[in-house]
Amino acid sequence: MSYATTEITSAEIVSDNPVHQRLYFPYEEAAKVISGKVLELGCGWGRGVEKLISASEHYTGLDKNEGLIKALQEKYPEHYFNTADFPDLSEFDNNTFDFVVTFQVIEHIQNDHKFLEEANRVLKPGGKIILTTVNKTYSLSRNPWHVREYKTKELRDLMAKYFKTVDTMGVGGNEKVWKYYEENKVSVNETMKWDVLNLQHRLPAWMLRIPYEFMNRRNREKLMNVTGGLAAEINWDDHFLCVEPDKCIDFYFVGTK
């Protein structure tokens, strides 16, 4: 199966490593607290599936990619995988799951209100959703695969409509993580200076996806040389949960039903 796009991010392509490690970190954190029946919305190629399975009684993974879902079901036959068109979760009854985990998904969902409403519905009373998404403040360019991005208050206010309490945290990083981010920022800004007509914000998203993929891949490969191997050295434990989400590249929010 193929998943080596810059949006999905491979664990096997070295230039993807800094992003992969940042996206894997929340699985390590979630595995410390989850239990019982766990639903993951947007399991993708299974970046952290094994970690979640090890901490849960039963795991359910949903994603829109039929090929990836089929491969995961074959690999983990004792658990349940299926394709889904989010935000619809009508396959599941009310009060079914102890935890809902959804990492880097909500920014892709047109109806984010319905997405959270459905997550709440399938959670048992007192159940929790663990959600990550990018912090708009630290985005370096428009991502045409994202319907929207959030700032801290926007995401907190949105989740507060559907959950009794919302704990707001972020994915922090050490000096290596931030050095890579700053190098990436310089590189992206060098590219963006040629967009004198601001086409990245004027053109429809579908027209930008192919050039975005090409430029993003090229940029990550370039950073492999610029950072002198730093990209390969970053690991998931170079990240940590931070109580100041405004200062983090990604949000890590926990909502309780």
Side-chain angles (χ1 to χ4, degrees):
M1 62 184 172
S2 175
Y3 52 81
T5 70
T6 60
E7 184 63 16
I8 298 177
T9 307
S10 173
E12 300 166 357
I13 299 175
V14 179
S15 60
D16 279 1
N17 184 63
V19 180
H20 164 66
Q21 298 294 344
R22 193 182 89 235
L23 300 185
Y24 175 73
F25 166 77
Y27 286 97
E28 288 283 340
E29 286 299 315
K32 297 176 182 178
V33 299
I34 65 171
S35 61
K37 299 183 68 175
V38 176
L39 168 65
E40 182 174 11
L41 304 179
C43 57
W45 55 265
R47 189 189 314 277
V49 164
E50 193 163 327
K51 193 67 184 180
L52 297 184
I53 284 176
S54 69
S56 61
E57 177 184 327
H58 187 271
Y59 170 90
T60 296
L62 303 179
D63 199 90
K64 66 180 180 180
N65 190 308
E66 185 175 353
L68 299 182
I69 286 294
K70 182 179 179 181
L72 288 170
Q73 185 67 81
E74 292 174 355
K75 186 175 182 180
Y76 304 103
E78 69 277 22
H79 296 276
Y80 178 72
F81 296 85
N82 202 2
T83 54
D85 184 15
F86 302 138
D88 178 36
L89 298 178
S90 57
E91 176 183 2
F92 306 104
D93 293 334
N94 297 351
N95 310 317
T96 297
F97 297 97
D98 298 287
F99 287 86
V100 169
V101 174
T102 180
F103 296 152
Q104 308 296 325
V105 174
I106 194 172
E107 66 271 18
H108 297 274
I109 306 300
Q110 191 69 44
N111 191 341
D112 53 353
H113 283 267
K114 185 65 174 178
F115 183 72
L116 293 175
E117 181 182 30
E118 279 288 271
N120 176 283
R121 181 184 65 78
V122 300
L123 277 170
K124 297 176 183 177
K128 296 180 183 293
I129 182 173
I130 305 175
L131 178 151
T132 70
T133 186
V134 295
N135 180 352
K136 185 177 181 179
T137 300
Y138 287 94
S139 292
L140 301 177
S141 66
R142 180 188 177 189
N143 186 328
W145 297 101
H146 292 179
V147 174
R148 80 192 64 73
E149 295 176 356
Y150 307 87
K151 293 188 176 181
T152 305
K153 186 178 184 303
E154 293 171 334
L155 183 59
R156 181 177 63 241
D157 290 350
L158 174 64
M159 291 185 64
K161 294 179 184 294
Y162 302 98
F163 297 93
K164 288 192 298 186
T165 63
V166 180
D167 297 321
T168 59
M169 295 171 283
V171 177
N174 62 16
E175 291 182 3
K176 287 194 295 184
V177 171
W178 282 106
K179 181 179 179 181
Y180 182 86
Y181 174 84
E182 291 299 331
E183 292 287 358
N184 189 27
K185 183 177 180 179
V186 170
S187 183
V188 171
N189 286 343
E190 287 178 355
T191 301
M192 290 299 101
K193 71 182 181 181
W194 297 104
D195 186 16
V196 293
L197 299 178
N198 196 29
L199 295 179
Q200 66 165 317
H201 293 112
R202 296 173 63 184
L203 293 176
W206 67 267
M207 291 184 66
L208 296 168
R209 287 171 182 165
I210 292 177
Y212 174 86
E213 173 66 23
F214 173 78
M215 296 302 294
N216 207 13
R217 175 61 63 204
R218 183 179 178 185
N219 183 61
R220 290 183 186 178
E221 292 171 352
K222 172 186 172 184
L223 286 171
M224 283 291 295
N225 297 320
V226 171
T227 63
L230 175 62
E233 297 172 7
I234 293 174
N235 195 30
W236 68 265
D237 56 5
D238 288 311
H239 303 83
F240 55 88
L241 278 190
C242 176
V243 295
E244 297 181 284
D246 287 340
K247 299 179 180 180
C248 298
I249 298 173
D250 291 337
F251 296 129
Y252 186 105
F253 283 17
V254 180
T256 302
K257 179 172 177 177

